[in-house]
């Protein structure tokens, strides 16, 4: 594990494989955050959805036990459909 800080200022521990540009997400219905990595778009890719690879689970202080979904005022509640490949 490595120590990380997100661009929103959260701190925690994530897999050694993490690198700049990876995203920390909480999947709908879950409580534990995960690290995902965007898959670069290739020429001729007409699909408008976002594609990601799974890097691993992580510990992020303040969002470990469902806190990301508890408050209706929480700006981190933004939901979008993603495809894991």
């Amino acid at each position: 594990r490595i120590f990380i800080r997100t661009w929103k200022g959260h701190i925690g521990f994530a897999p050694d494989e993490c690198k700049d540009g990876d995203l920390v997400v909480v999947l709908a219905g879950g409580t534990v955050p995960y690290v995902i990595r965007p898959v670069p778009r290739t020429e001729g890719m007409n699909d408008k959805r976002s594609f990601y690879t799974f890097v691993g689970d992580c510990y992020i202080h303040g969002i470990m036990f469902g806190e990301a979904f508890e408050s209706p005022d929480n700006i981190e509640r933004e939901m979008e459909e993603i495809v894991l490949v």
Side-chain angles (χ1 to χ4, degrees):
R1 297 279 178 174
I2 59 171
F3 181 79
I4 64 168
R5 191 179 119 229
T6 70
W7 65 272
K8 288 187 176 182
H10 293 96
I11 59 170
F13 293 95
D16 288 337
E17 298 83 20
C18 281
K19 59 184 182 180
D20 285 343
D22 288 349
L23 302 173
V24 174
V25 299
V26 177
L27 302 175
T31 57
V32 176
Y34 296 98
V35 177
I36 59 175
R37 180 169 297 141
V39 173
R41 299 188 79 71
T42 58
E43 189 174 325
M45 190 176 203
N46 295 326
D47 199 320
K48 303 289 186 210
R49 297 177 297 175
S50 299
F51 291 81
Y52 299 88
T53 57
F54 182 81
V55 178
D57 65 326
C58 61
Y59 169 83
I60 303 295
H61 184 71
I63 62 169
M64 284 307 299
F65 302 103
E67 295 96 333
F69 290 110
E70 284 179 357
S71 170
D73 299 327
N74 193 337
I75 61 171
E76 294 173 344
R77 262 186 88 133
E78 301 167 13
M79 301 278 288
E80 73 177 74
E81 183 178 331
I82 64 169
V83 178
L84 293 175
V85 294

